[in-house]
């Protein structure tokens, strides 16, 4: 059983005696560092994806769940009467905290992305919209629909349920996809490091045999490999995280309500979260190399 | 050398009654039985040669002594402990009391000769005394090659380096497989003198060799016994040697 203290001691206190046992390798070392860097880079994006998807799911759920809209379609002369009727119904409906008709400017802003900013609302048969904000435990949508049908026949309640559910479900799946990707990337890091360690151990089999013959214990021999691969992975993944954070930081920023791609990033202390990846990758490398080293040594007398 | 050998003498008394004991040992490989019915006990401070034709199993015998091979039958005891019952770390600790010189002397080719020679100390967290190391390298005639890499050495130089590495820990037991195979006669005699000196310090010596001249030379200096492997059996050779 190895303790965290002994692991940290091994990593932070170099043992020149053990270090020099393993011949220096050029290409292999750089490939390990490069692989760790790329994996960490991808892991940061997976983490960002997951966090962004989580934020989006929460935002959509909250925003859509707490608001709904009544659309009033009527002859121009009847519109105001219908609006008044709807407002009267809403004022006497429990579970509604606030209700207000959207102004022409607000409706124009809603339609601007499709028709431009100078849309002449007066000349178009645009329905009037009333925005409802729920309060307390919310209102009964079926009851409200029946009352609206009786008092304001041109009014239609849209409680956003048909929008909210698939959007929230999609965002939740995206979040799961992000976490799943992160786990897969860490597993792949472990596999890559294991392959590199196995290659190094195989190439150094004569060294291992000599060391066993002169009385070196497995732990002593393994330490040289484990320390080397762990530090390479730590260095590579730290570089990968740094590059990924810079890339995300350079991504065009977004306002709170913007789309998914422009919302891919970290907020506040979330920028520190990716820095958990290098120690995590280091731990994966430590475990993978240690297991590979002891497995290889067990084949030797 | 004096310093190193005096340290060697200090540990000699720690040995048990038998350094190595074989009890009805057999070893098979690929269906063929290389050794069978081997029973033997080497007492502390004894000096033995092991002879036999090529392929008779001399190297196998030494590897059984060193725990590099495990007997397929019977019991091998090293320092009064059954090798089969010792875990890997325990075996490593036991090997620190055994100096081994193999026929194909293997080194860490990326490290200088001097570093290779001191490796047995390094893996136990100790450092070589510079004077002892210098004396040892001088004694085996490798002073000029201390900084050379092993691939730069000749066959004879490699054997001398392997011998230096084997004795730097002042082992209780020295196993050598054809240690003079690549040495000229003068160097062989110098090696023999060192082995005899170690033996007088109480070390147990077992040398596998074809070199009958070496055996005869040894018999003039020390009470050496000769073991012979013939048809997979171990026997004590007579006075014909």
């Amino acid at each position: 059983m190895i303790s965290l203290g002994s692991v940290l001691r091994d990593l932070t206190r170099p043992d020149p005696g053990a270090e020099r046992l393993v011949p220096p390798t050029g290409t292999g070392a750089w490939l390990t560092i490069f692989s760790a860097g790329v994996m960490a880079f991808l892991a940061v994006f997976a983490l960002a994806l997951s966090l962004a998807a989580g934020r989006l799911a929460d935002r959509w759920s909250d925003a859509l769940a707490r608001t709904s809209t009544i659309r009033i379609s009527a002859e121009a002369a009847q519109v105001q009467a219908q609006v008044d009727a709807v407002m009267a119904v809403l004022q006497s409906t429990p579970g509604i905290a606030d209700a207000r008709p959207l102004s022409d400017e607000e409706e124009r802003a809603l339609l601007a992305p499709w028709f431009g900013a100078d849309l002449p609302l007066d000349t178009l048969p645009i329905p009037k919209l009333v925005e409802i904000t729920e309060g307390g435990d919310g209102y009964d949508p079926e009851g409200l629909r029946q009352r609206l049908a009786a008092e304001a026949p041109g009014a239609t309640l849209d409680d956003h349920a048909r929008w909210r559910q698939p959007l929230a479900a999609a965002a939740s799946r995206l979040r799961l996809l992000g976490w799943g990707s992160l786990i897969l990337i860490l597993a792949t890091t472990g596999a890559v490091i294991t392959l590199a360690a196995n290659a190094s151990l195989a190439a150094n089999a004569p060294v291992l045999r000599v060391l066993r013959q002169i009385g070196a214990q497995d732990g002593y021999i393994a330490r040289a490999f484990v320390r080397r691969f762990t530090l390479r992975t730590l260095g590579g993944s730290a570089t990968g995280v740094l590059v990924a954070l810079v890339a995300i930081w350079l991504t065009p920023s977004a306002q709170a309500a913007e789309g998914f791609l422009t919302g891919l990033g970290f907020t506040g202390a979330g920028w520190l979260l990716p820095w958990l990846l290098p120690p995590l990758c280091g731990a994966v490398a430590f475990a993978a190399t240690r297991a590979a080293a002891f497995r290889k040594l067990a084949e030797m007398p | 050398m004096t310093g190193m050998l005096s340290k060697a003498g200090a540990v000699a008394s720690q040995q048990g009654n038998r350094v190595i004991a074989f009890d009805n040992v057999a070893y098979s490989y690929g269906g063929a039985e290389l050794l069978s019915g081997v029973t033997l006990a080497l007492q502390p401070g004894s000096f033995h040669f092991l002879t036999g034709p090529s392929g008779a199993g001399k190297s196998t015998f030494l590897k059984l002594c060193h725990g590099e091979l495990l007997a397929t039958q019977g019991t091998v005891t090293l320092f009064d402990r059954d090798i089969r019952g010792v875990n890997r770390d325990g075996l490593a600790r036991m090997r620190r009391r055994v100096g081994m010189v193999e026929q194909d002397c293997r080194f860490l080719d990326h490290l200088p000769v001097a570093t290779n020679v001191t490796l047995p100390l390094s893996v136990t967290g100790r450092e070589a005394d510079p004077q002892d190391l210098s004396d040892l390298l001088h004694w085996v005639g490798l002073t000029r090659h201390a900084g050379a890499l092993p691939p730069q050495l000749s066959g004879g130089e490699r054997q001398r380096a392997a011998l230096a590495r084997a004795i730097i820990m002042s082992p209780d037991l020295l196993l050598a497989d054809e240690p003079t195979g690549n040495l000229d006669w003068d160097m062989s005699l110098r090696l023999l003198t060192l082995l005899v000196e170690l033996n007088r310090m109480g070390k147990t010596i077992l040398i596998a060799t074809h070199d009958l001249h070496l055996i005869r030379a040894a018999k003039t200096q020390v009470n050496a016994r000769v073991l012979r492997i013939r048809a997979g059996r171990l026997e004590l050779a007579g006075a014909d040697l």
Side-chain angles (χ1 to χ4, degrees), chain B residues 1-6 131-132 135-136 139 167 194 197-198:
Chain B
M1 285 301 290
T2 312
M4 193 185 70
L5 291 178
S6 61
Q131 189 57 48
D132 281 354
D135 288 350
L136 181 59
W139 210 94
I167 65 175
L194 172 65
E197 207 172 340
L198 287 169

Side-chain angles (χ1 to χ4, degrees), chain A:
Chain A
M1 190 66 186
I2 52 170
S3 67
L4 182 62
S6 68
V7 170
L8 291 176
R9 195 167 50 247
D10 286 351
L11 293 178
T12 53
R13 288 189 201 163
D15 178 353
E19 286 288 296
R20 65 186 175 185
L21 298 181
V22 187
T25 51
T27 314
W30 284 110
L31 282 177
T32 308
I33 294 169
F34 177 75
S35 304
V38 170
M39 288 300 165
F41 184 88
L42 295 175
V44 171
F45 276 94
L47 185 63
L49 168 81
S50 193
L51 293 178
R55 282 197 303 271
L56 204 60
D58 293 342
R59 197 161 64 222
W60 284 343
S61 294
D62 281 352
L64 295 176
R66 304 304 296 174
T67 63
S68 47
T69 310
I70 292 177
R71 189 177 69 247
I72 301 165
S73 301
E75 295 292 328
Q78 295 293 316
V79 168
Q80 192 53 49
Q82 293 271 331
V83 169
D84 292 342
V86 166
M87 292 304 291
V89 169
L90 293 176
Q91 279 165 11
S92 60
T93 303
I96 292 178
D98 186 39
R100 67 178 186 89
L102 294 190
S103 66
D104 286 350
E105 286 71 27
E106 287 172 312
E107 289 201 356
R108 193 174 287 116
L110 283 174
L111 295 170
W114 287 273
F115 299 108
D118 54 350
L119 182 68
L121 283 183
D122 298 342
T123 63
L124 293 171
I126 304 296
K128 193 69 182 170
L129 298 177
V130 175
E131 185 184 73
I132 301 171
T133 304
E134 290 183 19
D137 294 333
Y139 62 87
D140 170 21
E142 281 311 308
L144 181 58
R145 279 196 183 93
Q146 288 174 9
R147 290 186 64 200
L148 287 173
E151 304 292 334
T156 307
L157 173 65
D158 181 358
D159 62 2
H160 299 166
R162 65 193 168 115
W163 302 101
R164 187 172 68 227
Q165 286 166 357
L167 283 174
S172 293
R173 287 200 185 105
L174 267 177
R175 177 162 48 185
L176 278 178
L177 185 68
W179 285 114
S181 301
L182 192 62
I183 290 167
L184 283 176
I185 287 168
L186 287 174
T188 307
T189 304
V192 168
I193 300 300
T194 301
L195 283 173
N198 277 337
S200 177
L201 288 161
N204 287 297
V207 171
L208 304 186
R209 271 194 291 274
V210 168
L211 293 172
R212 279 296 300 174
Q213 190 189 61
I214 62 173
Q217 294 180 326
D218 288 352
Y220 180 85
I221 302 170
R223 203 176 303 144
F225 287 90
V226 169
R227 182 180 150 81
R228 183 173 287 195
F229 277 90
T230 304
L231 291 182
R232 282 175 188 169
T233 306
L234 270 175
S237 55
T239 307
V241 166
L242 182 66
V243 172
L245 287 179
V246 170
I248 288 176
W249 183 65
L250 291 176
T251 304
S253 61
Q255 301 301 314
E258 261 53 90
F260 171 71
L261 283 175
T262 51
L264 188 67
F266 300 98
T267 54
W271 285 97
L272 297 176
L273 205 54
W275 290 107
L276 291 176
L277 286 169
L280 201 55
C281 289
V284 169
F286 180 91
T289 313
R290 188 175 162 82
F294 277 95
R295 207 164 42 239
K296 185 71 184 174
L297 285 164
E299 296 169 5
M300 297 180 178

